[in-house]
Amino acid sequence: MSYFERHVLETLIYLPMLAALILVFIPRPQKSLIQGISIASGLALLIMSLYAFIAFDYDGGARFQLQRSYPWLDQLGIAFALGIDGIAAPMVLLTGIVSLAGTIVAANIQRDNKDYYILLFLLIAGVYGTFVSMDLFFFFFFYELAIVPMYLLIGVWGSSSKFKDFDRPKEYGALKLVMMIVAASLLIWVVIIGIYVESGTGSFNIETIMATIDQPGRFSETFQSVMFLMTMVGFGLLAGMWPFHSWSPDGHVAAPTSVSMLHAGVLMKLGGFGIIRIGVMLLPDGLREWALLLFIIGTINVIYGAVSALAQHDLKYVIGYSSVSHMGYVFMGIASMTAVGLTGATLQMFAHGIMTALFFTIVGGIYERTHTRDTLVLNGLASKMKWGTAFFVIAGLASLGLPGLAGFVAELLVFIGAFQTQPILGALGVLGAAITAVYILRLVGRTFYGERDKKWDNLTDLTPREFIAATVLLVPLFYVGLYPQPLLRVIRPGVDAVLAGLGA
Amino acid sequence: MNVDFSLLIPEFILAGAGFLVLLVDLLVPKAQEHRRNVVTAATAVLGLAVTGIVAIATQIDTGERLYDGLLFIDRYALLFKVLFAGIGIAVIVMSVDYVADKMRHPGEYYALIVFAVLGATLMAESGELLTAFISIELLSFSLYVLVGLSRGDARTAEASAKYILLGAISTAIMLYGISQLFGALGTTRFTEMGPLLTGAGGWNLTLITGFVMFVAGLGFKLSMVPFHMWAPDVYEGAPTPITALIATLSKAAAIALLLRFLAEAGSGSVNEWRMPLAVLAAATMIIGSLSALPQTNIKRLLAYSSIAQIGFILVGIVPNTVIGANAVLLHVIGYAFTNLAAFTVVVVIELKLGKESVADFAGLSKRAPVLAMIMTGALFSLAGLPIFAGFLTKFYLFTSAVDKSLEWLVVIAVATSVISLYYYIRVIREMYITETEDGSKLPVPLLLAGLAWVMFAGTIAVGTYPQPFVDATNAAATVLTPWIGL
């Protein structure tokens, strides 16, 4: 292993922290310097992530690769252990892509952009840390670290909204989001301590614990069953699981653009990832017991999210509910317990992360120009915002599963997996995709095409910065849609190992 | 009886330093108020620093018993000795500007802090009930005076009266408990009590009342439910640095004594007291967290939050294991850093704005960004979020409890953690989100800014690089191994 290979994973955590630390010492008025450093760090993160992804040996390599371990707290068996498997590798890449796009879009922030970027980089460090940790303590450590900055990011830089019948001040969105996620994360806290004690290994290392699952006397079925349910709710909430999803649309409506991008793009994926990492890998009996429930909830997520999106006419609420709907496919894929379904679930996390970040980039751009997100007021923007429209339409088409874009591959795989196990629920999932087509096309038709209101005559198209951010997101959307092989062959060994653990 | 007095050098230095401060106070002319304040403070800090350094330099690897088992000089006592000296220094540094502004008698003030540290140190060392009692009294009397030392303020007078009255009652209860224990067992030494408590006869009424009353007396010092009523009023009325002293020094000393007592005297009978103490821990966490919710004064809020924190600490005492003791000691260290950081910020606010309600923190992120950041860090640490000390230490505490099938207690602890986040976040919301008209910068005294930074750094150090701290707590907890299980 080269020097670079040995240290790439820890660099992914330290680099954003270092960026945050450097920013602390730059005077507040130096706004463009702050932007420059931040975007450069974002670019460096994407390059490092790509490097880690490419360095991952999908062909016969070890399950967890690029491993590093540093002693941290011997008395409790905690080590700063890092490593990625086939499921974490695409998530690392996703984080790199969305981080770069997010730091570029965040350059639009005018007020105190120093503090904003510091918090944003802490969030990014937390997300990377969660994806690459092999130690359950650090997994949880970084998971919480990713949540904490959200409160200030939304509460300080967010926007309050007034609707006809109700108000959504930004503090409301921020508080609801943080309190609900932290409350759920405490279930995970209990699960992690429970697993640690029950495994009897005296270690928090995932590989060490996995080796003991099958030993008699460890991880009884009752234990796994209870723990899995807690894992499912704890992580599921962050992934927008019905009926605990309500923080997600409210949070997105309040959040500034780049926070929405990172949140829907990568933070919600921590939920799905956590269910696979802890629920499926460490509690396989629990999954078998609750698979049907997870399947049903996933299907409800798909339909409920889509129907709710249909009823909304605020752009961010539409995208927020569409996220709830799309995360449902992730649950369905996991619950199918098939290789195809799990692959689809992982790919869906990747595809949805990219497309939803793209959505928010454009929606944020529209909001900054028009100060409204109401689709009843926004009409015919296409003639003024050609590029903005193009990007939005492509994200929309990816969202409704048009072949040639990443979303199609992912959903197709999930459906195949679903039909193999629960054909009826699978069919309902397809119905959800059909509703998605309705609300996306209706939204595009109303907002971008049709007759333009005089109000929008002076509207300007995307700034070069927004254009670049959108392009960063657009490329992988097409690439994965047209040629998903590189991603699939990395995911595959990860999924196979998970299935081997499930005994399927 | 052969006593090696060299083992007690740090304690002698501490006592000497207290008197030296009083002497220095007399030597500086009355008119030079400012000079008197600085010189006496510097003397006290110096005395505490020398104590800490000498304690580390003269440490011994074996545990020594002095005066026929009245005092233990061991690694356990060493940890607390150094911690208490550190807390004393921090509180004195925190006080300098405060005393100049609000107090009349700097010499007495600093000397009493030094004596309080001495009392606390002896509490951590005592291995016998009456020695423990006298140490507690030394600490308590210092605190009684300190609480009432502020210039004519009705709240201070009320707090002081309340603290003395309730303190006296709890003392009486504790003394009665000690007499019962002595009557039933014929000894007051912890290590001799241990085997007797497990004796075949079981626990008779005398023994139960004695045990319960002694622990109740300590529970008062700890503000453990149901002996917590005094805490909010005293916290609010006392001079803020003294509030910090009560929250850290007095609590930590009571923890030190309780942990040692329960380990050395109570290990054999752990099944008798585990469940009642676990219930009290749960009640302390629940009542502390819920009562904090409606508070509008930051000192009252921190009072209730510290009650909840005592509940968390008890979660680590209940299992009666080395890993639990380790977790308790680590939490005490992290909690001291965190609380001192928070109180330093409160002192600045009080000095500059003359008020200390939560609403006075509005717009602090604009007026003093560094203070706002440090306060946020401290509150997140209290709430148990990474990268701060509270995350690791709570994780450690809860892990130790699950080991002994106290899952229900952990679930309550975890649930109250969420509640606590809600009221900590209210303060953060004031600082960062609430808009204010007065956006002028707050001048932060250099000394207080420096102290806040050091405590903030300590909070992060415990949370991110705990090995050196855990090595120290482990050495201390290992002292208890002859009595308690792993």
Side-chain angles (χ1 to χ4, degrees):
Chain A
M1 271 205 298
S2 68
Y3 176 84
F4 210 51
E5 242 174 72
R6 259 180 284 138
H7 296 283
V8 60
L9 293 186
E10 58 202 83
T11 313
L12 286 175
I13 300 171
Y14 291 144
L15 193 68
M17 286 187 172
L18 184 70
L21 193 66
I22 291 173
L23 289 180
V24 170
F25 294 102
I26 295 181
R28 223 166 237 108
Q30 302 266 29
K31 290 202 177 245
S32 41
L33 180 64
I34 291 168
Q35 284 172 10
I37 291 175
S38 305
I39 294 174
S41 312
L43 188 63
L45 279 174
L46 176 56
I47 293 170
M48 300 294 296
S49 308
L50 255 176
Y51 181 85
F53 182 78
I54 293 168
F56 187 85
D57 175 13
Y58 52 85
D59 197 15
R63 174 166 193 183
F64 283 98
Q65 298 182 15
L66 305 173
Q67 281 201 34
R68 289 297 284 170
S69 182
Y70 300 91
W72 197 71
L73 191 56
D74 297 336
Q75 281 84 352
L76 216 54
I78 301 174
F80 186 50
L82 309 173
I84 48 173
D85 65 351
I87 293 167
M91 295 297 113
V92 167
L93 182 59
L94 170 71
T95 313
I97 296 168
V98 178
S99 298
L100 176 60
T103 45
I104 295 175
V105 170
N108 286 354
I109 295 278
Q110 291 305 321
R111 178 187 155 198
D112 294 336
N113 69 344
K114 165 179 163 172
D115 309 60
Y116 187 86
Y117 272 120
I118 291 174
L119 290 168
L120 200 66
F121 277 120
L122 285 179
L123 189 158
I124 291 173
V127 172
Y128 270 122
T130 316
F131 284 138
V132 305
S133 285
M134 281 183 64
D135 186 282
L136 287 178
F137 173 83
F138 274 103
F139 181 90
F140 187 56
F141 180 98
F142 286 118
Y143 181 83
E144 295 260 306
L145 180 62
I147 297 167
V148 174
M150 294 298 282
Y151 178 72
L152 289 175
L153 282 170
I154 298 178
V156 178
W157 289 273
S159 49
S160 306
S161 312
K162 279 199 183 341
F163 298 98
K164 208 167 68 195
D165 314 317
F166 60 103
D167 285 351
R168 282 285 180 267
K170 57 188 182 178
E171 294 94 338
Y172 173 85
L175 191 65
K176 184 171 183 177
L177 181 144
V178 169
M179 287 309 294
M180 282 185 76
I181 299 179
V182 170
S185 76
L186 295 171
L187 291 176
I188 300 162
W189 195 339
V190 174
V191 169
I192 287 178
I193 295 180
I195 287 176
Y196 166 76
V197 172
E198 194 76 6
S199 79
T201 55
S203 163
F204 279 99
N205 192 293
I206 291 178
E207 267 190 325
T208 317
I209 293 173
M210 271 167 59
T212 67
I213 296 176
D214 293 332
Q215 284 171 14
R218 301 270 169 224
F219 287 64
S220 69
E221 274 186 32
T222 330
F223 172 80
Q224 292 204 30
S225 165
V226 174
M227 288 291 148
F228 185 84
L229 198 62
M230 289 168 76
T231 313
M232 193 173 108
V233 175
F235 283 117
L237 186 138
L238 184 60
M241 177 183 275
W242 181 89
F244 311 107
H245 63 280
S246 67
W247 60 270
S248 162
D250 281 335
H252 286 314
V253 166
T257 308
S258 41
V259 169
S260 284
M261 290 167 68
L262 274 158
H263 188 245
V266 290
L267 210 65
M268 283 177 85
K269 309 302 171 287
L270 292 184
F273 180 75
I275 294 184
I276 297 178
R277 203 27 127 239
I278 293 187
V280 182
M281 279 167 60
L282 301 181
L283 307 163
D285 285 345
L287 173 63
R288 266 192 290 274
E289 187 142 331
W290 295 107
L292 185 61
L293 180 67
L294 185 61
F295 219 125
I296 293 172
I297 290 181
T299 316
I300 294 177
N301 253 70
V302 170
I303 307 268
Y304 182 90
V307 172
S308 306
L310 203 55
Q312 299 295 333
H313 50 84
D314 180 289
L315 280 172
K316 276 200 165 178
Y317 268 125
V318 175
I319 311 299
Y321 277 113
S322 119
S323 287
V324 172
S325 169
H326 280 89
M327 290 308 286
Y329 294 123
V330 177
F331 300 140
M332 289 173 75
I334 295 172
S336 75
M337 295 192 287
T338 58
V340 197
L342 267 166
T343 311
T346 312
L347 198 60
Q348 170 72 359
M349 287 200 274
F350 185 88
H352 175 253
I354 304 276
M355 75 173 90
T356 199
L358 185 54
F359 266 134
F360 279 119
T361 310
I362 307 301
V363 170
I366 293 174
Y367 181 66
E368 272 165 38
R369 287 168 177 73
T370 64
H371 301 287
T372 180
R373 295 181 305 257
D374 193 342
T375 57
L376 302 178
V377 184
L378 294 165
N379 306 92
L381 303 184
S383 53
K384 282 290 168 188
M385 294 182 72
K386 292 196 174 58
W387 286 110
T389 309
F391 282 118
F392 192 93
V393 169
I394 292 168
L397 294 177
S399 174
L400 57 82
L402 188 80
L405 291 161
F408 169 73
V409 188
E411 285 177 23
L412 184 68
L413 291 174
V414 170
F415 290 144
I416 294 174
F419 276 112
Q420 283 174 7
T421 44
Q422 301 285 350
I424 299 171
L425 293 173
L428 285 171
V430 178
L431 180 68
I435 306 176
T436 308
V438 175
Y439 70 77
I440 291 287
L441 293 176
R442 203 181 58 170
L443 182 73
V444 169
R446 196 190 279 157
T447 312
F448 292 99
Y449 299 102
E451 204 166 323
R452 190 176 75 233
D453 201 308
K454 275 204 298 300
K455 266 191 289 193
W456 315 127
D457 281 351
N458 297 322
L459 214 57
T460 51
D461 206 350
L462 299 186
T463 60
R465 239 180 358 226
E466 288 166 341
F467 184 84
I468 293 171
T471 312
V472 168
L473 296 165
L474 191 72
V475 172
L477 208 54
F478 271 110
Y479 188 87
V480 174
L482 295 171
Y483 185 54
Q485 267 316 309
L487 218 58
L488 289 178
R489 69 188 175 205
V490 168
I491 296 175
R492 172 134 201 173
V495 165
D496 285 347
V498 168
L499 284 176
L502 273 171
Chain B
M1 193 169 64
N2 196 2
V3 176
D4 182 2
F5 285 106
S6 69
L7 291 170
L8 285 175
I9 291 174
E11 287 74 14
F12 288 135
I13 295 177
L14 208 47
F19 290 112
L20 189 65
V21 172
L22 289 174
L23 191 68
V24 169
D25 185 37
L26 291 176
L27 292 178
V28 183
K30 268 255 179 297
Q32 296 172 315
E33 279 262 9
H34 178 68
R35 191 147 165 225
R36 218 149 58 99
N37 180 16
V38 172
V39 171
T40 46
T43 314
V45 167
L46 199 67
L48 288 167
V50 170
T51 307
I53 292 165
V54 170
I56 293 173
T58 61
Q59 62 174 297
I60 45 168
D61 286 334
T62 53
E64 292 288 333
R65 296 176 189 195
L66 296 180
Y67 305 113
D68 216 12
L70 302 193
L71 281 183
F72 285 118
I73 306 295
D74 49 21
R75 296 296 287 265
Y76 184 84
L78 175 73
L79 177 78
F80 281 104
K81 216 178 294 181
V82 176
L83 176 70
F84 293 159
I87 292 176
I89 292 173
V91 170
I92 291 172
V93 171
M94 196 190 295
S95 304
V96 175
D97 288 287
Y98 196 90
V99 170
D101 200 40
K102 294 182 193 288
M103 306 251 184
R104 262 174 311 210
H105 309 290
E108 286 86 338
Y109 179 90
Y110 297 122
L112 281 167
I113 292 180
V114 176
F115 288 128
V117 170
L118 179 62
T121 306
L122 290 171
M123 276 169 80
E125 288 170 355
S126 48
E128 188 259 354
L129 289 174
L130 283 174
T131 315
F133 177 76
I134 295 168
S135 318
I136 291 173
E137 287 303 277
L138 179 56
L139 172 64
S140 300
F141 275 88
S142 308
L143 290 177
Y144 295 153
V145 182
L146 284 168
V147 167
L149 214 54
S150 196
R151 275 179 205 161
D153 180 341
R155 279 189 312 176
T156 305
E158 186 199 333
S160 177
K162 207 167 205 163
Y163 195 35
I164 293 173
L165 280 175
L166 289 175
I169 293 171
S170 83
T171 303
I173 290 174
M174 183 188 257
L175 205 51
Y176 187 65
I178 291 173
S179 74
Q180 295 280 315
L181 284 174
F182 180 70
L185 303 172
T187 177
T188 51
R189 291 191 182 81
F190 297 167
T191 46
E192 288 171 15
M193 289 166 72
L196 294 172
L197 280 170
T198 48
W203 282 36
N204 56 29
L205 195 61
T206 326
L207 212 49
I208 293 174
T209 38
F211 196 87
V212 168
M213 284 180 158
F214 179 71
V215 173
L218 272 182
F220 172 83
K221 303 289 169 215
L222 282 174
S223 67
M224 176 172 82
V225 169
F227 316 107
H228 64 289
M229 304 294 192
W230 61 274
D233 290 329
V234 172
Y235 270 54
E236 190 189 355
T240 308
I242 299 308
T243 311
L245 194 68
I246 295 174
T248 50
L249 183 80
S250 150
K251 297 282 174 72
I255 290 289
L257 179 57
L258 182 67
L259 189 60
R260 196 194 276 271
F261 172 74
L262 288 179
E264 293 179 359
S267 280
S269 49
V270 56
N271 291 329
E272 320 280 341
W273 55 262
R274 177 176 283 157
M275 218 20 86
L277 196 64
V279 171
L280 285 184
T284 308
M285 289 187 285
I286 293 171
I287 292 177
S289 313
L290 290 181
S291 314
L293 286 174
Q295 300 306 324
T296 52
N297 179 297
I298 187 77
K299 282 158 85 178
R300 287 187 85 85
L301 187 117
L302 287 172
Y304 281 111
S305 121
S306 86
I307 294 174
Q309 296 290 333
I310 289 301
F312 293 133
I313 290 178
L314 289 174
V315 171
I317 294 184
V318 168
N320 200 44
T321 55
V322 168
I323 177 172
N326 220 328
V328 168
L329 299 177
L330 191 66
H331 190 81
V332 167
I333 294 174
Y335 174 72
F337 276 123
T338 308
N339 251 350
L340 289 171
F343 275 109
T344 310
V345 176
V346 177
V347 165
V348 177
I349 300 291
E350 201 187 335
L351 281 179
K352 295 298 158 193
L353 302 179
K355 294 169 287 189
E356 75 277 339
S357 77
V358 173
D360 291 321
F361 281 76
L364 194 68
S365 64
K366 290 274 172 297
R367 306 188 66 185
V370 170
L371 284 191
M373 179 189 79
I374 290 174
M375 190 70 184
T376 306
L379 293 173
F380 276 153
S381 178
L382 288 173
L385 294 171
I387 50 180
F388 305 103
F391 178 76
L392 171 69
T393 55
K394 271 194 194 173
F395 197 95
Y396 211 152
L397 281 172
F398 298 170
T399 306
S400 72
V402 171
D403 255 350
K404 283 284 172 217
S405 312
L406 290 158
E407 289 89 354
W408 63 273
L409 192 59
V410 174
V411 169
I412 291 177
V414 157
T416 51
S417 274
V418 191
I419 301 173
S420 75
L421 179 62
Y422 182 78
Y423 56 76
Y424 295 130
I425 241 176
R426 264 181 34 215
V427 183
I428 295 170
R429 175 195 158 143
E430 287 296 331
M431 291 192 292
Y432 281 90
I433 301 180
T434 307
E435 309 274 348
T436 45
E437 287 147 29
D438 186 5
S440 59
K441 289 271 181 245
L442 272 189
V444 184
L446 208 59
L447 208 55
L448 289 170
L451 178 67
W453 270 113
V454 171
M455 292 304 142
F456 183 64
T459 309
I460 293 181
V462 176
T464 53
Y465 186 59
Q467 192 66 58
F469 297 97
V470 175
D471 285 341
T473 59
N474 205 38
T478 314
V479 169
L480 305 174
T481 38
W483 296 280
I484 62 183
L486 284 173

